[in-house]
Amino acid sequence: MANNSHQRKKKRSKTSKRHKQQEPAGPRRFSEFGKFANDLLTKGYIPDQTLSISTHSCNGLIITSRASRQGRRSTANVGAQYKYKNAAVEVNFDTKSSIATKLSFGGEILPSTNVNASLRLPEYGSSQLNLKFQQSFRNAALSISVGLNQSPDILLSATIGTSSIAFGIESKYKTTSRSFSRLDAGISVTNPSRDASIILAEKGDLLRLAYAHRFGQSRKISAVAEVTRRLSNNKNSLAIGVSCIADKLTTVKATLNNRGKLQALLVHKIKPNSSLNISAEFNMKALDKIPRIGLALALRL
């Protein structure tokens, strides 16, 4: 009898675990509405030449040297960062002989509640202390961020729905002027092959529609389209893009907008943490102009 009861308990525990695994995920956060389309259209394109070399030690020290050139202007800086648990110290030197130091720490003080603080020297006026609360429920997600200073900004984001369809709002309240500087609302519909979103931003003045489609079972090829309309002056804009994952190390993507701006990007991973980015920008309405070529090489030794 004891053996039978033990087997029934094991079966109940297995079924309860199975039910937990089958519980649907909650809705995505508002910051993720249209993110895939926006990243494909904007992320990674570089107009200048950049070289970055970083070395990591086993005790948490990271030293990074970075040089960039944009047109006739060249800049360079060297930075050192040391991390220990939830604290970090960062020091940067640049070609203008200026030194910037940043002390930061963060951690979870309560469930779903994080505190992050940063102290900048000598520009201590830009120091920040931020309290952030994030909580995900079965059919809702909530995020509250408050800057703990003399005139804090309060950022509130909330969504309701499921993992496939969600409605959300995001607002930013400025305590100095006692007014909302941001008030956005939107809807997101997503599945493994499609991602669509409609967002009404800038206090109802900007309407943004984005759609992304991933082709094939491997979903290595993606295409996106984004349409925006400025309601105050009835101006429209259109951007389309395509991305292809050639292999585990190489990704190619391109975008084109209604102003004739064509951009192409090649990303090749040399090592897991090292990459080479080559981008080009053309003006299809002024083909006599020289294309802008961007190159970024990031090496981690």
Side-chain angles (χ1 to χ4, degrees):
M1 293 291 292
N3 191 17
N4 292 335
S5 63
H6 180 67
Q7 288 180 354
R8 284 196 297 268
K9 287 181 182 179
K10 288 180 69 178
K11 287 182 180 180
R12 283 197 297 266
S13 64
K14 287 182 180 179
T15 54
S16 62
K17 288 181 180 180
R18 193 181 300 116
H19 287 311
K20 287 182 180 180
Q21 291 176 356
Q22 292 175 355
E23 286 184 359
R28 56 171 50 185
R29 301 187 184 277
F30 189 85
S31 59
E32 298 174 350
F33 285 18
K35 186 178 183 299
F36 180 83
N38 184 72
D39 287 349
L40 196 152
L41 293 172
T42 61
K43 192 175 181 179
Y45 299 99
I46 48 175
D48 52 357
Q49 290 77 44
T50 303
L51 173 62
S52 175
I53 301 175
S54 62
T55 58
H56 297 239
S57 63
C58 57
N59 59 3
L61 180 63
I62 304 173
I63 299 177
T64 304
S65 302
R66 188 173 185 271
S68 63
R69 181 176 181 179
Q70 187 173 10
R72 297 181 180 179
R73 182 183 176 185
S74 300
T75 59
N77 64 71
V78 178
Q81 184 185 63
Y82 178 74
K83 289 184 177 181
Y84 180 74
K85 294 184 178 180
N86 294 327
V89 180
E90 187 175 348
V91 182
N92 286 290
F93 308 85
D94 60 20
T95 52
K96 297 180 181 179
S97 300
S98 62
I99 303 175
T101 304
K102 179 181 177 182
L103 309 175
S104 61
F105 70 92
E108 188 176 61
I109 57 174
L110 294 171
S112 306
T113 306
N114 287 274
V115 172
N116 294 287
S118 64
L119 175 63
R120 298 176 184 270
L121 299 173
E123 298 178 357
Y124 60 88
S126 59
S127 301
Q128 295 180 351
L129 179 60
N130 188 68
L131 176 66
K132 189 172 185 178
F133 171 82
Q134 284 188 341
Q135 182 65 52
S136 296
F137 306 95
R138 184 175 182 179
N139 296 109
L142 177 66
S143 176
I144 302 173
S145 179
V146 182
L148 303 180
N149 49 37
Q150 293 182 351
S151 55
D153 293 339
I154 303 173
L155 183 64
L156 170 65
S157 173
T159 56
I160 59 172
T162 64
S163 59
S164 57
I165 181 170
F167 303 86
I169 61 170
E170 186 175 71
S171 62
K172 186 176 183 180
Y173 182 78
K174 299 184 75 68
T175 56
T176 52
S177 59
R178 296 182 180 180
S179 62
F180 288 94
S181 60
R182 185 195 308 170
L183 188 58
D184 304 339
I187 178 175
S188 173
V189 180
T190 181
N191 61 32
S193 299
R194 300 174 182 84
D195 190 335
S197 63
I198 302 175
I199 297 176
L200 188 62
E202 299 185 11
K203 299 181 180 180
D205 185 47
L206 184 66
L207 182 64
R208 182 184 297 113
L209 294 82
Y211 177 77
H213 192 97
R214 306 175 185 91
F215 297 91
Q217 294 182 352
S218 60
R219 302 184 184 92
K220 292 184 177 181
I221 300 177
S222 304
V224 304
E226 184 181 73
V227 179
T228 60
R229 179 177 177 83
R230 181 74 61 176
L231 302 180
S232 58
N233 54 17
N234 293 327
K235 286 188 176 181
N236 301 325
S237 64
L238 170 66
I240 57 175
V242 62
S243 167
C244 177
I245 302 176
D247 52 43
K248 294 181 180 180
L249 302 176
T250 308
T251 302
V252 182
K253 65 179 184 176
T255 64
L256 175 66
N257 61 23
N258 62 312
R259 296 186 301 273
K261 183 179 178 181
L262 175 64
Q263 292 179 302
L265 173 66
L266 169 68
V267 180
H268 181 71
K269 291 185 179 180
I270 305 172
K271 296 193 302 182
N273 295 304
S274 300
S275 63
L276 172 65
N277 293 17
I278 303 175
S279 66
E281 180 181 316
F282 307 88
N283 189 345
M284 303 299 292
K285 296 183 179 180
L287 296 177
D288 56 325
K289 292 186 178 180
I290 300 175
R292 299 177 63 182
I293 305 298
L295 175 66
L297 178 61
L299 299 175
R300 177 175 175 176
L301 306 178

